């Protein structure tokens, strides 16, 4: 398992090319699941597990990994499947989401697969664990379900979208009232956080669930004769989405003379140091880790100041 994540530099080159690599694994059954490799720090055998009193039902316990205490989450139980039984031969996937590190107990790791985002499709609308998926795909004719880890984590540690009063009291933010903002994300949890936070500023919101839908929306407005750069105050886009990721979306925006002046913010749960380099590569205007309401408002404020900056 140690060698499964050895080619980080090669994977980094995929970003901006509308490609990704997924780590496939099983839970309690034969169905294949996956998450984006960029969220994964390592895959290893379960270290000694310590039980904690009053822990969440989905948390098996905690482990100590190189001096860091991490919760171990039963990912099978968290998405409504049969719980896994942790043991000395169990496998965990250590991940980083939104500046927090945690381990997921899984039934076993399959492999890493390099894919094009165009092969990643939105999940069908239905009941059951579909609510915990951001996408589906097929690998060698086998269905692979891509888990919405943000939703899982939000149910264990609920996020807050409330902006602090001193931030909201800033008179510059009054300029945002009535302005239009486009939100692009495939996660219902992330969209809810953005809506809840930005609604406190009185902005009008447009929503697209992936980069391709967003690009069609933008080009549709431009084709109808609207000045899209005047229409929209800014765009918040996730990085990883079905059909077209946020990096490719930004590249497409910059290549269209009618859209290239748009202010684009990469809003993602991927690690900050990686995204800062990607922001420069594809031409985003700003980068923001998810679930930081005060920081999100700071980014809106930075954008508003540009309207009054000297030429």
């Amino acid at each position: 398992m140690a060698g499964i994540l050895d080619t980080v530099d090669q994977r980094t080159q995929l970003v901006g090319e509308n490609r990704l690599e997924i780590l496939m694994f099983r839970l309690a059954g034969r169905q294949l699941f996956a998450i984006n490799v960029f969220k994964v720090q390592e895959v290893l055998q379960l270290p000694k597990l310590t039980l904690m009193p009053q822990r969440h039902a989905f948390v098996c316990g905690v482990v100590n990994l190189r001096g860091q205490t991490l919760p171990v989450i039963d990912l099978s139980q968290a998405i409504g499947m049969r719980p896994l039984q942790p043991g000395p031969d169990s496998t965990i996937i250590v991940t980083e989401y939104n500046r927090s590190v945690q381990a997921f107990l899984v039934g076993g790791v399959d492999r890493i697969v390099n894919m094009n985002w165009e092969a990643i499709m939105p999940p069908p609308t239905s009941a059951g664990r579909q609510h915990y998926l951001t996408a589906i795909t097929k690998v060698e004719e086998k269905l692979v379900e891509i888990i919405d880890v943000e939703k899982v984590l939000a149910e264990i540690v609920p996020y807050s979208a409330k902006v602090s009063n001193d931030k909201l009291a800033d008179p510059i933010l009054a300029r945002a009232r009535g302005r239009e903002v486009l939100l692009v994300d495939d996660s219902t949890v992330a969209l809810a956080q953005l809506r809840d936070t930005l609604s406190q500023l009185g902005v009008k919101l447009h929503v697209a669930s992936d980069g391709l839908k967003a690009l069609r929306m933008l080009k549709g407005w431009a084709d109808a004769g609207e000045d899209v750069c005047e229409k929209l105050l800014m765009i918040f886009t996730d990085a990883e989405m079905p059909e077209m990721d946020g990096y490719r979306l930004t590249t497409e925006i910059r290549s269209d003379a009618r859209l290239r002046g748009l202010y684009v913010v990469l809003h993602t749960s991927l690690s900050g140091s990686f995204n800062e380099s990607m922001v420069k590569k594809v031409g985003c205007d700003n980068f923001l880790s998810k679930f930081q309401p005060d920081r999100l408002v700071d980014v809106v404020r930075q954008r508003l100041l540009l309207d009054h900056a000297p030429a």
Side-chain angles (χ1 to χ4, degrees):
M1 285 185 291
I4 201 166
L5 299 172
D6 285 344
T7 55
V8 173
D9 288 342
Q10 293 176 21
R11 292 195 301 276
T12 303
Q13 301 306 313
L14 301 176
V15 180
E17 306 301 326
N18 211 39
R19 300 189 67 82
L20 79 159
E21 285 192 324
I22 56 174
L23 174 63
M24 299 195 304
F25 53 89
R26 288 181 169 84
L27 297 174
R30 297 182 60 81
Q31 173 60 45
L32 284 167
F33 297 91
I35 58 176
N36 191 326
V37 166
F38 276 116
K39 303 291 181 67
V40 179
Q41 290 190 348
E42 58 184 316
V43 178
L44 68 157
Q45 194 169 324
L46 177 66
K48 176 178 168 47
L49 187 68
T50 302
L51 301 182
M52 300 291 288
Q54 299 180 324
R55 65 186 185 274
H56 191 280
F58 301 158
V59 177
C60 307
V62 298
V63 295
N64 189 284
L65 199 60
R66 289 181 288 279
Q68 188 175 18
T69 301
L70 305 179
V72 177
I73 298 165
D74 182 346
L75 192 52
S76 182
Q77 185 179 11
I79 67 170
M81 296 177 64
R82 173 168 53 88
L84 297 169
Q85 295 301 318
D89 296 325
S90 297
T91 299
I92 59 172
I93 301 174
V94 180
T95 65
E96 181 180 358
Y97 283 82
N98 304 319
R99 308 167 315 284
S100 71
V101 180
Q102 53 284 309
F104 290 106
L105 181 71
V106 299
V109 167
D110 187 86
R111 57 189 154 137
I112 288 174
V113 178
N114 180 321
M115 302 196 73
N116 192 302
W117 273 112
E118 293 171 359
I120 311 292
M121 297 291 108
T125 303
S126 62
R129 68 168 179 263
Q130 305 296 339
H131 295 301
Y132 291 95
L133 306 180
T134 57
I136 59 172
T137 191
K138 279 193 173 182
V139 176
E140 296 174 355
E141 299 306 311
K142 293 180 180 178
L143 181 69
V144 179
E145 301 182 352
I146 300 176
I147 294 178
D148 186 351
V149 178
E150 291 171 4
K151 179 175 175 60
V152 171
L153 295 175
E155 291 183 352
I156 296 172
V157 182
Y159 68 86
S160 171
K162 182 173 174 53
V163 181
S164 59
N165 291 333
D166 61 321
K167 294 283 184 185
L168 292 176
D170 188 335
I172 291 174
L173 292 177
R175 302 175 193 167
R177 187 164 297 279
R179 299 293 300 273
E180 298 179 46
V181 175
L182 174 59
L183 312 179
V184 191
D185 205 304
D186 61 330
S187 169
T188 57
V189 172
L191 283 175
Q193 184 258 344
L194 281 167
R195 279 196 184 101
D196 292 349
T197 300
L198 292 170
S199 65
Q200 297 168 65
L201 303 181
V203 297
K204 178 183 177 181
L205 301 175
H206 303 275
V207 175
S209 58
D210 63 62
L212 186 58
K213 289 185 178 69
L215 185 63
R216 287 171 176 165
M217 187 182 296
L218 293 168
K219 287 182 177 290
W221 285 329
D223 291 343
E226 294 194 64
D227 184 339
V228 184
C229 296
E230 182 64 29
K231 175 184 179 67
L232 292 180
L233 176 66
M234 59 203 307
I235 299 173
F236 288 95
T237 180
D238 189 18
E240 44 178 335
M241 295 175 288
E243 300 199 84
M244 180 182 288
D245 65 22
Y247 306 110
R248 171 59 70 85
L249 170 61
T250 305
T251 300
E252 294 290 336
I253 287 172
R254 297 301 182 228
S255 66
D256 189 320
R258 304 168 301 172
L259 307 176
R260 66 169 57 117
L262 286 166
Y263 191 91
V264 181
V265 180
L266 193 67
H267 183 244
T268 174
S269 55
L270 288 168
S271 63
S273 57
F274 167 74
N275 270 301
E276 285 164 11
S277 62
M278 286 300 102
V279 163
K280 294 176 183 177
K281 179 178 178 180
V282 301
C284 293
D285 295 286
N286 215 323
F287 160 73
L288 177 66
S289 293
K290 289 182 178 178
F291 308 122
Q292 299 184 88
D294 278 5
R295 174 71 184 118
L296 192 152
V297 169
D298 285 341
V299 170
V300 174
R301 185 181 189 277
Q302 290 171 29
R303 167 63 187 93
L304 291 166
L305 288 173
L306 293 177
D307 287 339
H308 298 269

